[in-house]
Structures are given as structure tokens and as C-alpha cells.
Amino acid sequence: MTYRIAKDKVAGGIMTTFTFVSLVLVVAMAIGLWLKSSDVLAQHSWHDLLTTSEWKPMQNKFGFLAFIAGTFYVTGVAMIIALPISLLMSVLLTEYMRSAVRRFVYPLLDILASLPSVIYGVWGTLIVVPFISDIVGPAVGKSTSGYTLLSGGIVLSIMVLPLLISLFIEIFGNIGIDLRESSLALGATRWQTTKYVVLRKGLPGIIASVVLALSRALGETIAVMMVCGNLHIIPGSLLDACYPIPSLIAHNYGEMLSLPLYESALMFAAFLLFIIVVAFNLGARLYLRTLTQK
């Protein structure tokens, strides 16, 4: 009996230690990025950095507004495309398809989720970019190279689809069969049961899954960088180029070694992305807590 109690205490201590280390790592990352950003913050106010778009490192001008807009725009387009598709596919697989079909689809989702992002970028360059430039652009009467906000959104949506579908399937699969049977016994159709029982019961998990996918989409670099055009402008339409923050860091990190203030500006970009992701996660958790209490 004493051995079992001691083993439980050791296991609890190990788990507590790992949890504490995880929290320390997050705080350490924030502090490190803040310290690295201190030089540019000492010469420029937060207001100037976040509300201006002029980007001329050689002239000590660092405006992040266009990069922030590009990050939110491409992520928003990706989530608008991916969310309904992944939700409908998950409902189809869990509520309507036979188990034999699910056993065939699940490995494919795992393969898509494990592909390196550069493969998605190459695919987007070969397929999506020509489709935008040769078909979508002429169809709306606008000349475009294809390296656009829409291309980045499409590629990014394909990347987050496997993650969303896998999470949704897990959520729907954990909803008790007794709830479905009770709904059907009361005369509800299968779609009504899915809509008013399965989706409503799984709503907190759906929100958490969307936030997780959103966090990954905000930080995606290579694939989006290869297809979004990387022009320092605020996109006015889906067929304009964009320049997300991760692409800014990846493109310019090697050039900043001779300019300390340039390095500090790029570290501030990373710090800004860190703040955005943390803010989204905290906001989602607060909303989920409110939803659960209601």
C-alpha cells in the first residue's frame, strides 16, 4: 500500500514538474523576444510600429500595419474556406458513412497532416497560382500573376483541413450514442439530431479546435510565402498580393545581421505574432468558460 502511494506521489510530482516547465518555457520565450525587441521599441512607439505601413529599414522606418493585415487576411480566408468543408466532412464521416469508409479515409487524413509544408507550397505554385492567374483573374476582369491573397488562403486552408477534420471527428465520436438514440426516438430526423444534438453538444470542442487550427495557420511560413506574392501592401482584394508576418521573418532574417535595429525589428515581428496567438487562445478559453457556465 505504501509503495502504491509513493508511486502515485512520484507520478504526480513528475507531471507537475513538466507542467511547470511548459509554463516557464512560454514565459521565457516571451521575455526573450521582448528583450530582443527592446532596441526598436526604444526608438519607436507601439503606436507608430502598429499603425504605419512604411517599411524602410535603411532609413530606420518600420511600419508593421501591412504585415499585420496580410497575416489576418490570409488566415481569415483560409479559415472561411476550411471551416465549413471540414465541419461537413466530419459530420458526413461520423454520422452517415459506414465504418469501412472511415477506415479508408482516416489514414489519408494522417498522410495529409504529416506532409511537409514545402510540399503544399510547391503544389500551390504549380496548381493554385496558374488557376488564379489564368482562370479566376480573367473571369473577374482583373490581370494578376496568381501570387495573391487568395492563393495563400487556398493553400493554407488545405493545410489546416486534416487537423480540423481529425479534431472534429474526435469530438463527435465522444458524444454518447444515447443522446442520438434519444433524439431519434422522439421523432427527430438524422439531420435534426446532428444539428440540434451533435453539433450543439460538441460546440465547445469545435471552438477549441478552430482556435488550435487558427494558431497554426497564423504561424505558417513556407507554403504561404511561396504563393502569396510577398509585396509590402495592404491587400485591397483577394487578387492582391500580401505579406504575412511569418513570411517577413523568413525572407529577411539573413539580411539583418549587419543592422542591429533591423534584427530588433524582426524580433518584434516574432513577438507580435506571439502576442496575437496567445491573445486568440486566451480569448477562446474565456469564451469557452462562459459558454460552459451557460
Side-chain angles (χ1 to χ4, degrees):
M1 187 68 178
T2 305
Y3 171 73
R4 290 167 57 186
I5 294 175
K7 187 168 65 173
D8 288 343
K9 289 183 177 180
V10 170
I14 292 174
M15 288 185 288
T16 302
T17 301
F18 281 127
T19 303
F20 179 74
V21 169
S22 300
L23 294 175
V24 170
L25 285 175
V26 174
V27 175
M29 289 174 61
I31 294 175
L33 291 173
W34 170 264
L35 293 176
K36 284 290 187 178
S37 307
S38 59
D39 290 342
V40 73
L41 289 172
Q43 299 189 28
H44 301 275
S45 67
W46 280 79
H47 181 270
D48 292 338
L49 292 172
L50 300 181
T51 59
T52 60
S53 297
E54 194 171 12
W55 183 261
K56 296 178 180 179
M58 297 297 181
Q59 301 178 18
N60 194 21
K61 295 179 180 179
F62 302 99
F64 287 89
L65 182 59
F67 304 116
I68 297 171
T71 302
F72 280 112
Y73 285 173
V74 73
T75 305
V77 171
M79 297 307 296
I80 289 173
I81 297 173
L83 183 56
I85 295 175
S86 58
L87 195 58
L88 291 175
M89 286 185 64
S90 304
V91 168
L92 179 67
L93 289 170
T94 56
E95 306 298 321
Y96 293 91
M97 287 295 182
R98 298 178 180 178
S99 59
V101 177
R102 292 197 293 269
R103 286 196 298 269
F104 175 75
V105 173
Y106 291 168
L108 296 180
L109 293 175
D110 293 336
I111 292 173
L112 286 175
S114 62
L115 288 177
S117 60
V118 67
I119 295 179
Y120 287 98
V122 171
W123 173 80
T125 303
L126 296 177
I127 304 298
V128 178
V129 170
F131 173 75
I132 299 297
S133 62
D134 298 338
I135 298 178
V136 176
V140 298
K142 185 172 182 178
S143 176
T144 175
S145 65
Y147 293 92
T148 61
L149 168 63
L150 182 58
S151 300
I154 291 174
V155 172
L156 192 55
S157 68
I158 300 298
M159 293 186 67
V160 300
L161 267 178
L163 175 62
L164 282 174
I165 294 173
S166 299
L167 292 173
F168 289 161
I169 288 174
E170 188 70 24
I171 292 167
F172 298 154
N174 288 329
I175 296 175
I177 191 66
D178 55 325
L179 294 177
R180 294 178 174 86
E181 292 177 346
S182 299
S183 176
L184 294 171
L186 291 173
T189 64
R190 180 175 290 186
W191 169 244
Q192 289 173 330
T193 300
T194 301
K195 182 178 179 181
Y196 296 108
V197 177
V198 176
L199 292 179
R200 183 169 295 181
K201 182 69 174 177
L203 181 59
I206 292 173
I207 295 173
S209 301
V210 170
V211 173
L212 180 62
L214 191 64
S215 299
R216 178 186 174 182
L218 283 169
E220 185 54 50
T221 307
I222 298 299
V224 177
M225 184 177 69
M226 294 174 68
V227 298
C228 68
N230 302 311
L231 293 180
H232 183 234
I233 59 173
I234 298 178
S237 72
L238 291 175
L239 297 182
D240 288 337
C242 65
Y243 207 165
I245 292 176
S247 298
L248 167 70
I249 299 172
H251 254 154
N252 299 281
Y253 192 79
E255 301 177 7
M256 55 75 180
L257 296 177
S258 59
L259 298 173
L261 199 61
Y262 197 0
E263 176 186 5
S264 181
L266 293 180
M267 292 301 101
F268 176 76
F271 183 57
L272 193 60
L273 189 62
F274 179 87
I275 293 174
I276 292 172
V277 172
V278 171
F280 267 110
N281 280 271
L282 291 178
R285 289 194 174 277
L286 291 175
Y287 178 74
L288 286 173
R289 179 176 295 181
T290 304
L291 188 65
T292 303
Q293 291 175 351
K294 288 182 179 181

